[in-house]
Structures are given as structure tokens and as C-alpha cells.
Amino acid sequence: MAQNINERYRGSLTALITPMKKDGALDEQAATRLIERQIKGGTTGLIPSGTTGESPTLSHEEHGRVVEHCVEVAAGRALVMAGAGSNSTHEAVGMARHAHKVGADALLVVVPYYNKPTQEGLYRHFMTVADATPLPLWLYCIPGRSVVDLTPETLGRLARHPNIVGTKDATANLARPLAVRREAGADFNQLSGEDGTILSFLAAGGHGCISVTSNVVPDLCSQLHRLWQEGKVQEAIALQDRLMPLHDALFAETSPAPAKYAMSRLGLCESTLRLPMVEITEATKKRVDAALHSLGLLD
């Protein structure tokens, strides 16, 4: 199973934004277009209802519908790794079971935020969610949003569960993949959550990236991974250099606000966010525009 996981879950995966109409309602027509664009661009996997999808502001019904809609549109043409994270284990289990019911391929479960569990609490949380469905599960470590770190040692314990097969690492610590491999084994799938360090992460033994930037340029992000996989390292570095201004601009303010603005500039969807997320500043808009210009995406 592990070898098959690493063959399938590699390259560019996209942490999908959730497009919304000007009144804040979900925009399924725009979501359909965005998913089709991802598949055409060569994206390996789609992650609906994650942090980039503004999951904290979605109702439970909306959260489930976003996942179900993604499964329906993808129709097996790309993997669907459903966001199923909560700081309530009971809620996370419910989200996981719903994702399994509607046909998702895998689960992405974030470290519980705000309530600051211990490592033992994290272990029991993730084991409980992993026991709830037969789906493969990725553990999402992002201390910048969850406060608590999921240590490599705890990852190693969790990796013994047959359904816990990988991690999304957004620590930006490039020694981390080495430590995780030592604790969890070489077959444990490691996906970066940091666009700007992806080549370094791959060089340290990572398998791919769950990307925000790929919302905007799915074709270029998937191309970067293909170049790396084909051993065309210098070409991959050159493409990374071209993408860096966009990576930086998309995180100049809290994500996904800059990404939604960039996509609105390309005519892909509205830039609408739900409070407490707000529109980016004029200075950041100029920075995003400049990055899009540098890639030839704006006149």
C-alpha cells in the first residue's frame, strides 16, 4: 500500500479555494470551472474544504457539500483529499465519515487548533479519526495556525496505524522531512504545505506539495514537479525562480485572500471572502498584479 500511495500522491496537489458570490453564498458554477481547470493543468489531487477553502467559516452543511461537489466534478480524474479537520474529535470523525460516504479518496486532518492538546492528546485524536473510516489519512502540521506542533516522534507513533499514511508539513523547516523519515519510515508520504520551499523539500525526500499557488497557475506548478521527477533540476530551479514572486505575493497577507484576488484578476471567480477574512490592501494588490504580470498572465 505504501508504495502505491507514494506513486499516486506525488507532484502538485491543490488546496482549493472556495469560490463565493458577491453576497457570500457558495458559487458552485465557479467551483466547477476551477476544478476543470485544475484537472486540465495536470494537478494530481484536489483538497476541498481545507484552510485555504475557508473551512472555519463554512457551515457543516456547506463543508460537506463542497467536498461532495468536488468528488462529483472530478469524477475520478484527480484524487480528492477531503479536508476533515476540527478542534473537536467528534466533529472531525463526522467530517471523515461524510467524506468517505460521498466518495473522497483520502482525508487531510489538521492539528486541532486553539485548545492546545498535548502530544498524547494529538495521538488519540488522530487515531480516533483514522479508526472511523478505511480512507488513507494525512496529518496536517501547521503550528502557525494551530499553535501546537505535531512532533516527528508522535508522527512515528501514528504511522503505525495502517490508515495513517502521510503528512502535510507547513513548518517550513527543511530538516523536518529527514526527521519524519527517520521516525515514520521512508514509505511515509510527505507533502509540503509551503510553496516557496518546494524544491528543497523534494530534495530532502518529500513527495509533493499541497499548494496555494496552484490555484492560480496549476499548469506551471504541475510542470515544476514533472521537471523535478524527470531529473531536469536546473529547469525546475529556473521555473521556481519565475514562480517565487507569485509565491511571495500570495502570502503577503493571510491566505487565501491574495489568492482569491489573483484569481479574480484572471476572471476565474469573485474575490469574495467571509469575515473575519477581508479584502487585501492596495499595496498587496499591486504586488499580486506585478507577480501576475511577470508570468505574462496580465497585460
Side-chain angles (χ1 to χ4, degrees):
M1 177 179 177
Q3 184 178 6
N4 184 47
I5 288 290
N6 286 333
E7 289 174 354
R8 297 182 72 205
Y9 291 85
R10 65 198 297 249
S12 182
L13 297 88
T14 300
L16 293 169
I17 67 153
T18 300
M20 298 170 184
K21 300 176 183 178
K22 289 183 179 180
D23 64 0
L26 300 185
D27 189 343
E28 286 197 3
Q29 288 186 333
T32 297
R33 294 193 299 269
L34 295 181
I35 292 166
E36 292 290 352
R37 183 171 180 264
Q38 289 293 321
I39 294 169
K40 183 178 179 180
T43 297
T44 299
L46 306 167
I47 295 84
S49 293
T51 309
T52 305
E54 298 175 79
S55 58
T57 70
L58 301 179
S59 69
H60 288 295
E61 292 75 17
E62 288 173 329
H63 186 287
R65 179 54 193 159
V66 168
V67 172
E68 185 175 13
H69 175 261
C70 185
V71 171
E72 291 170 355
V73 177
R77 295 174 294 162
L79 297 162
V80 177
M81 182 187 291
S86 173
N87 59 352
S88 161
T89 304
H90 177 75
E91 286 187 359
V93 165
M95 292 173 181
R97 287 176 173 162
H98 176 270
H100 177 232
K101 179 181 177 180
V102 301
D105 300 287
L107 302 170
L108 179 66
V109 183
V110 71
V111 167
Y113 37 85
Y114 187 77
N115 43 18
K116 298 179 69 174
T118 63
Q119 292 300 304
E120 181 62 25
L122 293 178
Y123 175 78
R124 296 186 193 183
H125 172 82
F126 287 120
M127 290 292 281
T128 300
V129 180
D131 284 339
T133 83
L135 293 179
L137 186 153
W138 273 253
L139 311 172
Y140 181 13
C141 182
I142 180 164
R145 287 189 186 253
S146 66
V147 181
V148 176
D149 187 18
L150 180 62
T151 67
E153 292 76 16
T154 302
L155 274 169
R157 289 179 68 197
L158 288 163
R160 297 170 194 154
H161 193 296
N163 293 345
I164 297 177
V165 300
T167 184
K168 175 185 176 182
D169 188 280
T171 64
N173 178 355
L174 292 174
R176 185 72 170 230
L178 308 175
V180 170
R181 186 163 63 249
R182 184 172 64 247
E183 297 291 339
D187 290 334
F188 195 68
N189 186 266
Q190 296 196 59
L191 303 174
S192 172
E194 283 282 334
D195 280 295
T197 59
I198 182 54
L199 288 185
S200 301
F201 188 89
L202 294 173
H207 300 93
C209 180
I210 296 179
S211 170
V212 173
T213 302
S214 59
N215 278 284
V216 183
V217 284
D219 51 345
L220 294 180
C221 289
S222 61
Q223 182 185 352
L224 179 73
H225 288 271
R226 286 197 305 272
L227 290 170
W228 175 265
Q229 292 162 8
E230 293 168 2
K232 298 176 181 177
V233 176
Q234 293 306 314
E235 291 179 46
I237 291 172
L239 180 51
Q240 176 183 248
D241 288 345
R242 288 183 59 211
L243 286 170
M244 279 307 299
L246 184 58
H247 293 329
D248 290 342
L250 294 184
F251 288 93
E253 293 185 35
T254 305
S255 181
K260 278 195 161 181
Y261 169 76
M263 296 170 77
S264 74
R265 292 287 283 138
L266 300 178
L268 299 170
C269 64
E270 299 288 344
S271 60
T272 307
L273 301 147
R274 285 185 179 173
L275 286 171
M277 300 297 294
V278 295
E279 184 180 18
I280 58 176
T281 64
E282 290 301 317
T284 300
K285 288 179 181 179
K286 290 178 181 178
R287 190 169 175 181
V288 172
D289 285 349
L292 295 174
H293 277 292
S294 73
L295 292 169
L297 299 175
L298 286 182
D299 294 332

